Amino acid sequence: MHRWSAGSRTTPTAPASRARSRTNITTSPESRPPYVDSSISQFLRMSPDVPRVTCGALTAADVGRAVELNGWVHRRRDHGGLIFIDLRDWTGLTQLVFNPATNDTQSAVFRQAEELRSEFVVGVRGIVQKRPAGTENPKLATGEIEVAVESIRVENESKTPPFVVASDDEPAEDVRLQYRYLDLRRPRMQRNLRMRHTIVKAIRDYFDEHDFVEIETPNLIKSTPEGARDYLVPSRVHRGTFYALPQSPQILKQILMIGGMGRYMQIARCFRDEDPRADRQPEFTQVDVEMTFVEQDDVLRMMEGCVRYVWRRALGAVIPDPLPRLTYAEAMTRYGSDKPDLRFGLDLVDVDDLFRGGAFGLFASLAESNDNRIVAVRWPGGAALSRRDFDAVTELAKQFGAKGLAYVTFAPDGVKGSIARFVDDALAAALRAETRAEDGDALLFVGDARGAASDVAGKLRLEIGDRLGLRKPEDFAFCWVSGFPLFEKDPETGEITFSHHPFTSPAPGQEALFDSDPLAITAQHYDLVLNGYELGSGSIRNHTVEFQRKVFRRLGLGDEQIEDRFGFFMEALAYGAPPHGGMALGIDRIVMLACGESSIRDVIAFPKNQMARDLMMDAPSTVPDQALRDLGLRIVQPAPVT
RNA sequence: GGUCUCGUAGCGCAGUGGAAGCGCAACUCUCUGUCGAGGAGAAGGCGCGGGUUCGAUUCCCGCCGGGACCGCCA
């Protein structure tokens, strides 16, 4: 519970995301609220002779002191002759009391208090007093005391807010985004943005201690092909030409390495013109890192040291040392994902051998080819589910891309389920031995082409984990995934393309495969994964111009295209580029998971919605014709739909 | 570009082919120990367009808007 929270009201239908947002977070030393704020200008003070204190700091030790507070009216409880006001600032709540024992109800200060409304901004001067016995509020950090107000000054009034800031009821997200400044006043958002600050500061401190230098790179850069869609900025000076906003500082940080900077980091804003998701925004923030004269293992150790440091500083959590490492192949086999959620087991189990030559014709034939895979996913307690439940899960599997879903249940009275009639005692025993299924469990089976079967089974595994409550937001399971292929085949065009980016180097000694079997090359590329989210990826880069050119050519770029788009970079590589590698981690996702949130929009002050619009500013918007003329641009309306 | 889902009062939510409801907020009155204060009263609404129907907030279609996901995201 956040220290601000005055109430613990829970709605029975509260969505999981809101429940998660109340995850207990250890307060870091950096975010402890100050007690006295002496930095306020005199003219804002009501009585310079008494200290100005924050709303979250007063305790029983302060009883009897005269103090001054500033803040927002959080809630007002008017008993007629007795008025309570919860005063809020960024540190917490303090109860103000207007009591005729000290204030005549006809007094000016009492009449002022009667006029106060939610979100009014006030300054008060008063005496800290102990609350009468039995009226303390243990839910409030300042619940032992209250401030008897002697004088009050209304700094600003407020229109009636569109939603109640002081309420746990969460308005629809479009309303929150339109009135973001009100949403930001809520304790949850205050906590999230403070957590973000704490994490970013810890990141900077960590890399500073390891002799990294933070270097800014430009946001108006050259568009390079491939990858995501660029955001383009038209040039006024050079009509008809465009800057691109960086999808990441990738090439620039490599050039910093060529520039001899040794160890670089940056909290960098990145821009990609692709459709947003709960964990994706058109602009987002990465901690971007690059080092010279390193091998893959050096980068992994440095980066996992960073997340361990961050989690310790920001959350007081201990992260394993070293982090578990998986190969891409292992991750796909055991978890059906290249970003596995390791907070729970329920590993996928291959059961091809058990069905090969068996009574179930579909699986028997699938098992004949090594290109296929038959995967079992164990569902603890699944035998208690109804036929209707399994129909729903089958429907879900189809949404995931499955052609169908087979299942069996192991109840004390025997094997049941959609393929039970094909499962004799021997097969049942073998399945239970392989999957460690117990009485009361169910097994889901996905049989398909290897990749498709893994993918669907992996998603079903996550679904089961969700339903069983195994994906706890307060658990943090990091892992490395490496050993990705350097190239992959574009499923649509059949052409060879890079899996990560074209600057990734192959594993040592695999250059020879370049012409014979490029798809077999393993990349020196690694992903850091947390709870099923890809936090970021990195690689050891190509550092010779010859090899980089070879890669570009392999990807189908002609020398002219290479020169046009990457000429400056190829030139740089040719002047003694050192071996180097690095990584970038998504700050938004890190903070989201650290806060127990399910959307990065809740850890960004001013995010865009799913249509990439800013609902508060109403961006994007049209611009005056003159602005277009200056840029040599004309808007072409899309053809009307007939 | 696609699939799913939602749109009822300022906010959060019920509900129905035949007279529109609850909680909070806001407004008036009342109330001296509350902390989701309490009591009384009054005010306020079915996203837009089309269709089916005697009748549509409800059913159908389209549009607009929010969200989740797929595509996309080197």
Side-chain angles (χ1 to χ4, degrees):
Chain A
M1 184 66 60
H2 188 274
R3 62 174 179 271
W4 281 21
S5 254
S8 59
R9 176 168 55 136
T10 51
T11 314
T13 55
S17 65
R18 197 154 19 122
R20 275 199 291 275
S21 76
R22 293 180 181 168
T23 305
N24 230 335
I25 301 291
T26 308
T27 306
S28 65
E30 285 79 9
S31 64
R32 183 174 301 143
Y35 177 70
V36 171
D37 190 341
S38 56
S39 64
I40 301 301
S41 303
Q42 288 297 310
F43 79 91
L44 266 176
R45 303 292 304 278
M46 300 186 69
S47 4
D49 54 309
V50 305
R52 177 185 187 268
V53 301
T54 58
C55 292
L58 291 174
T59 67
D62 299 299
V63 168
R65 296 182 67 196
V67 294
E68 185 178 318
L69 301 104
N70 291 85
W72 284 264
V73 174
H74 189 67
R75 267 201 199 90
R76 191 176 70 113
R77 292 178 293 280
D78 187 343
H79 290 231
L82 175 70
I83 298 173
F84 298 104
I85 283 178
D86 291 335
L87 192 68
R88 180 191 72 231
D89 68 11
W90 60 275
T91 65
L93 298 175
T94 294
Q95 174 166 287
L96 309 179
V97 60
F98 300 79
N99 190 327
T102 50
N103 298 306
D104 184 336
T105 54
Q106 298 308 309
S107 70
V109 63
F110 200 91
R111 285 203 306 274
Q112 277 181 292
E114 288 180 316
E115 297 301 314
L116 294 178
R117 294 294 181 269
S118 291
E119 302 309 313
F120 278 28
V121 182
V122 299
V124 299
R125 181 204 150 106
I127 307 294
V128 181
Q129 62 187 32
K130 194 158 173 48
R131 294 195 188 188
T135 66
E136 300 88 353
N137 184 352
K139 293 184 235 168
L140 219 53
T142 59
E144 283 189 74
I145 56 91
E146 62 194 359
V147 172
V149 177
E150 296 170 337
S151 61
I152 183 166
R153 187 165 77 191
V154 177
E155 304 288 359
N156 207 346
E157 303 190 343
S158 170
K159 290 168 69 175
T160 300
F163 54 86
V164 184
V165 173
S167 170
D168 277 340
D169 282 344
E170 186 156 304
E173 198 161 359
D174 50 335
V175 180
R176 292 176 57 203
L177 291 179
Q178 185 184 346
Y179 299 94
R180 191 57 158 178
Y181 35 86
L182 297 179
D183 192 40
L184 292 176
R185 288 181 193 169
R186 295 166 57 231
R188 170 180 164 200
M189 292 303 295
Q190 295 265 327
R191 182 204 66 172
N192 289 358
L193 293 184
R194 294 211 157 260
M195 175 61 73
R196 186 178 181 118
H197 163 81
T198 302
I199 287 173
V200 169
K201 180 170 183 340
I203 289 171
R204 285 204 163 98
D205 288 348
Y206 174 83
F207 284 111
D208 179 65
E209 282 170 23
H210 288 83
D211 299 317
F212 283 73
V213 55
E214 181 162 10
I215 303 173
E216 292 167 273
T217 52
N219 278 342
L220 296 175
I221 66 168
K222 182 184 177 72
S223 176
T224 53
E226 309 293 335
R229 204 173 290 114
D230 281 325
Y231 274 101
L232 296 176
V233 180
S235 165
R236 175 187 56 83
V237 182
H238 306 280
R239 279 199 172 193
T241 64
F242 295 83
Y243 301 98
L245 303 182
Q247 295 180 26
S248 78
Q250 180 63 34
I251 289 182
L252 291 163
K253 73 173 173 182
Q254 288 192 242
I255 292 177
L256 285 172
M257 294 303 99
I258 297 169
M261 296 313 304
R263 291 184 161 191
Y264 144 92
M265 68 82 64
Q266 181 183 194
I267 307 295
R269 192 61 64 87
C270 306
F271 306 86
R272 294 177 192 174
D273 188 4
E274 301 291 351
D275 291 351
R277 288 282 192 282
D279 62 348
R280 272 165 35 190
Q281 282 271 299
E283 54 179 310
F284 60 99
T285 308
Q286 290 187 335
V287 51
D288 197 42
V289 176
E290 198 76 5
M291 310 162 72
T292 52
F293 304 109
V294 287
E295 296 175 5
Q296 176 166 316
D297 203 50
D298 302 317
V299 181
L300 301 195
R301 287 210 313 271
M302 184 63 71
M303 296 307 293
E304 67 175 74
C306 175
V307 296
R308 260 194 301 278
Y309 183 81
V310 166
W311 249 253
R312 180 165 59 76
R313 278 261 303 262
L315 296 172
V318 177
I319 302 302
D321 183 7
L323 295 181
R325 296 186 185 183
L326 296 172
T327 67
Y328 172 71
E330 282 170 346
M332 294 307 293
T333 301
R334 292 173 57 190
Y335 305 105
S337 169
D338 61 359
K339 43 185 183 189
D341 187 343
L342 300 188
R343 279 175 296 181
F344 65 106
L346 303 186
D347 293 16
L348 311 185
V349 179
D350 280 294
V351 290
D352 304 59
D353 293 344
L354 302 185
F355 282 100
R356 186 172 298 122
F360 185 30
L362 174 63
F363 278 8
S365 63
L366 280 171
E368 289 307 313
S369 168
N370 199 39
D371 293 336
N372 298 324
R373 188 178 181 201
I374 302 168
V375 190
V377 194
R378 185 169 71 93
W379 190 329
L385 297 170
S386 67
R387 171 66 188 270
R388 183 191 297 262
D389 292 324
F390 282 107
D391 285 347
V393 172
T394 302
E395 199 49 46
L396 196 63
K398 285 179 179 169
Q399 283 175 31
F400 293 153
K403 297 183 183 71
L405 186 69
Y407 65 94
V408 296
T409 62
F410 299 109
D413 55 337
V415 177
K416 294 192 168 61
S418 67
I419 60 168
R421 68 180 184 279
F422 303 116
V423 180
D424 58 24
D425 289 348
L427 180 53
L431 284 171
R432 292 184 59 156
E434 283 292 313
T435 63
R436 296 181 192 167
E438 299 171 6
D439 276 344
D441 289 354
L443 291 178
L444 306 181
F445 299 100
V446 182
D448 207 327
R450 181 159 289 276
S454 301
D455 185 50
V456 172
K459 287 173 174 163
L460 289 173
R461 173 180 173 269
L462 295 180
E463 176 70 19
I464 294 169
D466 275 332
R467 294 196 185 202
L468 296 179
L470 300 175
R471 306 181 71 191
K472 299 191 186 101
E474 66 271 25
D475 292 343
F476 299 105
F478 289 87
C479 69
W480 289 107
V481 179
S482 61
F484 292 86
L486 183 63
F487 297 112
E488 58 193 28
K489 209 170 233 177
D490 188 314
E492 286 173 19
T493 65
E495 286 173 11
I496 284 184
T497 180
F498 43 83
S499 325
H500 178 42
H501 61 51
F503 313 111
T504 302
S505 76
Q510 295 202 345
E511 292 85 350
L513 291 168
F514 200 86
D515 297 307
S516 56
D517 190 4
L519 292 174
I521 299 176
T522 302
Q524 294 197 72
H525 164 209
Y526 31 88
D527 282 357
L528 181 61
V529 174
L530 170 58
N531 293 3
Y533 286 89
E534 181 194 315
L535 289 189
S537 60
S539 64
I540 301 299
R541 330 293 185 185
N542 301 316
H543 69 280
T544 68
V545 68
E546 294 80 11
F547 195 81
Q548 187 61 60
R549 186 178 305 281
K550 232 175 134 174
V551 172
F552 280 140
R553 282 180 176 156
R554 192 71 194 77
L555 295 169
L557 267 64
D559 284 348
E560 205 167 301
Q561 285 172 289
I562 297 173
E563 178 57 32
D564 179 45
R565 286 296 151 194
F566 299 105
F568 67 101
F569 180 60
M570 303 302 277
E571 181 75 358
L573 283 175
Y575 286 94
H580 62 288
M583 180 151 203
L585 300 180
I587 301 261
D588 310 285
R589 287 181 188 173
I590 288 173
V591 179
M592 172 185 84
L593 292 167
C595 289
E597 294 288 359
S598 52
S599 164
I600 63 172
R601 293 187 295 270
D602 288 329
V603 298
I604 296 172
F606 302 105
K608 292 167 181 57
N609 75 356
Q610 198 163 155
M611 299 296 287
R613 278 160 44 92
D614 183 312
L615 296 176
M616 184 183 70
M617 293 193 287
D618 192 27
S621 62
T622 56
V623 295
D625 287 344
Q626 184 58 46
L628 291 175
R629 279 196 291 275
D630 286 346
L631 295 165
L633 297 179
R634 191 180 303 132
I635 303 300
V636 179
Q637 297 298 342
V641 181
T642 49

